[in-house]
Amino acid sequence: MAANTASGYIQHHLQNLTYGQLPAGYERSDGSVLNDATWTIAHSAQEASDMGFWAIHVDSMLWSVFLGLIFLLIFRSVAKKITSGVPGGLQNVIETIVEFVDTSVKESFHGRNPVIAPLALTIFCWVFFMNLMDLIPVDWIPGLATLAGVPYMKIVPTTDPNITMAMSISVFLLMLFYWVKVKGFGGLFSDLALHPFTSDNLVIKTILIPVNLLLETVSLIAKPISLGLRLFGNLYAGELIFILIAMIGYLQLPLHFGWALLHVLVITLQAYIFMTLTIVYLSMAHEDH
Amino acid sequence: MNINATIIGQTIAFAFFVWFCMKYIWPPIIGALNERQKKIADGLAAADRATKDLELAQAKAVEELHLAREQAKEILEQANQRATVIVEEAKGEARKEGERLIVAARAEIDQEANQAREALRAQVASIAVAGAGKILGKQIDEAANSELVEQLAADL
């Protein structure tokens, strides 16, 4: 572990705990050579990247599932004994969130779809919880993990592009699914091929098809990528600044406070943006241009 | 920062969480919210209705009161009229009774005067007979002279 230098410190903080297979004959970071292909935890960034696609970020997955379960448990505990009478403390909070999400959905989506509202609620709360981990001082949990012998521990799942991209691609697939379900493949094609340039003349219309197709496909592909990378980029940058602030000694306290204060806003805002864009994309699939 | 199988794991977790939320979290909460909304709407409507009912009842009460007052006035008037009539009747009867009493008293007076006169006449007759007897100095046959005496008495 190269935690002694500044760049080593940063790299250590930005490295996920990766579990994967290293090929036979691989020279590990401590100099030992593997005789067989081995499933193991990566001890350096190089090892993690050499594990290829079939490796998993254990910390991202654990924290993400853990936070998702917290969300489910809190909401489920309220949903189980919910009353339409006078609501109690926690029920009030939950109802406010649910109502907020419901309003957001109703504002931009006018059809009937039982998935969109729960999807939006899940995204908002889960992303918010994952982002919230950013406010835990950067050294606390990785420090404990190091004491416990775990080489890396990145506690903010949304600073892992795998997590954000998985969610945005899921949303994208759902969008394509509903697009086809509502309008059929013909509708999908005409949405992509006949806009934004259109003409009453059939010949010009036909000529314009490839142009439209190119433009629309690019903007279509850009949707999941921008959705996932926006969340990742914001949180990754925020986390990086927390790490940089953490390196400057005792002066970090006011800076940390200021940045955390600003970050409270970023955390909520990014969760909200992710939710809103999900709703917008899904309602686009349902509505005519 | 490598793209790896985490993306698949997260997709599975995401699908599960959304499914769970859709199945067990969203419906009861939104159901309760809608139910409360309905309750509040019903309550407001009921309040509106109650206000209207109250207004109606108040108007009706005012009307009833008015009617009652009118009736009372009418009854009072009737009673007054009746009283006047009764007093008038009583006055008339009293007058008649008085007149009757006066007439009866007069008749009685007349009768008594007559009786006194008769008694007086009888006494006068007997005195006259006695006087005449004494004057004639002999016993007059009362039976023979009674017709005469009677005639005398009637002339008195």
Side-chain angles (χ1 to χ4, degrees):
Chain A
M1 272 177 284
N4 307 322
T5 61
S7 72
Y9 177 82
I10 295 172
Q11 272 169 12
H12 178 249
H13 269 286
L14 293 179
Q15 176 57 44
N16 281 104
L17 180 66
T18 314
Y19 182 79
Q21 192 187 35
L22 289 172
Y26 185 82
E27 192 188 338
R28 300 207 60 171
S29 55
D30 56 5
S32 61
V33 177
L34 294 170
N35 297 322
D36 304 307
T38 316
W39 285 93
T40 183
I41 285 176
H43 282 275
S44 71
Q46 187 54 46
E47 279 185 18
S49 97
D50 286 342
M51 282 170 175
F53 182 76
W54 291 108
I56 193 159
H57 290 159
V58 181
D59 46 1
S60 290
M61 272 323 296
L62 277 181
W63 285 107
S64 142
V65 170
F66 170 70
L67 294 164
L69 286 176
I70 286 182
F71 152 67
L72 291 186
L73 277 177
I74 293 174
F75 275 69
R76 179 63 192 155
S77 74
V78 169
K80 246 196 277 185
K81 51 183 186 211
I82 195 157
T83 163
S84 64
V86 181
L90 185 60
Q91 192 187 326
N92 250 330
V93 179
I94 301 300
E95 278 183 8
T96 311
I97 297 169
V98 169
E99 209 151 21
F100 161 70
V101 172
D102 196 39
T103 315
S104 301
V105 171
K106 276 181 182 152
E107 267 169 11
S108 43
F109 180 71
H110 307 293
R112 283 181 59 83
N113 189 323
V115 178
I116 290 186
L119 174 74
L121 177 69
T122 310
I123 284 177
F124 180 67
C125 295
W126 196 14
V127 170
F128 178 75
F129 278 146
M130 290 197 283
N131 290 354
L132 202 60
M133 298 300 286
D134 214 2
L135 292 181
I136 295 176
V138 285
D139 281 326
W140 285 11
I141 293 173
L144 286 176
T146 307
L147 284 180
V150 179
Y152 299 106
M153 182 54 68
K154 210 170 145 196
I155 62 168
V156 193
T158 37
T159 56
D160 182 348
N162 288 297
I163 298 291
T164 62
M165 287 310 291
M167 294 176 86
S168 69
I169 289 171
S170 304
V171 168
F172 181 66
L173 292 178
L174 212 57
M175 173 190 171
L176 288 181
F177 170 74
Y178 279 115
W179 207 336
V180 172
K181 195 184 167 199
V182 172
K183 300 178 185 171
F185 281 104
L188 175 67
F189 178 77
S190 75
D191 274 353
L192 291 179
L194 304 179
H195 300 274
F197 301 116
T198 186
S199 168
D200 290 333
N201 189 322
L202 204 66
V203 180
I204 300 177
K205 207 171 180 178
T206 316
I207 293 169
L208 283 174
I209 282 179
V211 182
N212 283 332
L213 215 51
L214 183 71
L215 278 172
E216 284 292 309
T217 308
V218 168
S219 85
L220 188 70
I221 301 297
K223 274 172 192 153
I225 295 174
S226 70
L227 183 64
L229 289 186
R230 178 184 301 109
L231 180 60
F232 161 72
N234 273 282
L235 269 291
Y236 189 80
E239 176 81 347
L240 193 62
I241 290 176
F242 271 125
I243 295 168
L244 289 176
I245 291 172
M247 292 195 307
I248 59 174
Y250 287 109
L251 264 176
Q252 68 175 278
L253 289 172
L255 273 175
H256 234 108
F257 179 74
W259 183 240
L261 216 56
L262 180 72
H263 221 61
V264 170
L265 190 72
V266 173
I267 284 166
T268 320
L269 201 64
Q270 287 305 320
Y272 175 69
I273 290 173
F274 202 101
M275 178 192 80
T276 309
L277 284 176
T278 301
I279 298 168
V280 168
Y281 290 163
L282 282 172
S283 55
M284 273 167 70
H286 283 72
E287 280 159 20
D288 294 320
H289 276 286
Chain B
M1 277 241 293
N2 315 299
I3 294 293
N4 57 27
T6 311
I7 206 166
I8 296 170
Q10 176 72 2
T11 304
I12 295 166
F14 185 53
F16 169 74
F17 287 150
V18 170
W19 169 81
F20 189 90
C21 182
M22 199 175 95
K23 199 96 181 166
Y24 298 108
I25 291 174
W26 189 263
I29 294 181
I30 209 73
L33 284 179
N34 287 339
E35 201 181 312
R36 183 172 319 127
Q37 218 166 30
K38 198 177 164 297
K39 266 189 194 170
I40 292 171
D42 286 354
L44 287 177
D48 273 356
R49 246 196 330 273
T51 315
K52 241 172 234 161
D53 283 357
L54 186 68
E55 268 169 23
L56 277 178
Q58 269 174 346
K60 204 170 176 189
V62 167
E63 201 182 319
E64 292 274 315
L65 210 65
H66 194 70
L67 217 69
R69 212 169 277 151
E70 210 110 290
Q71 269 180 351
K73 222 178 185 175
E74 213 169 279
I75 289 168
L76 215 63
E77 238 163 59
Q78 276 178 352
N80 278 338
Q81 274 175 4
R82 181 104 188 91
T84 318
V85 168
I86 287 171
V87 168
E88 287 302 313
E89 272 175 5
K91 269 186 191 164
E93 257 170 41
R95 203 175 291 126
K96 269 186 213 153
E97 181 73 8
E99 277 165 9
R100 200 180 56 77
L101 280 177
I102 290 167
V103 169
R106 272 196 194 131
E108 211 170 324
I109 290 166
D110 285 351
Q111 201 186 340
E112 278 185 9
N114 280 343
Q115 268 176 5
R117 206 176 285 140
E118 288 296 318
L120 197 59
R121 190 180 290 153
Q123 277 180 354
V124 167
S126 62
I127 289 167
V129 169
K134 269 180 190 160
I135 293 162
L136 291 173
K138 71 166 180 162
Q139 193 68 38
I140 298 167
D141 186 3
E142 263 182 60
N145 296 318
S146 67
E147 198 177 320
L148 182 73
V149 174
E150 289 280 318
Q151 207 177 328
L152 263 171
D155 287 346
L156 277 167

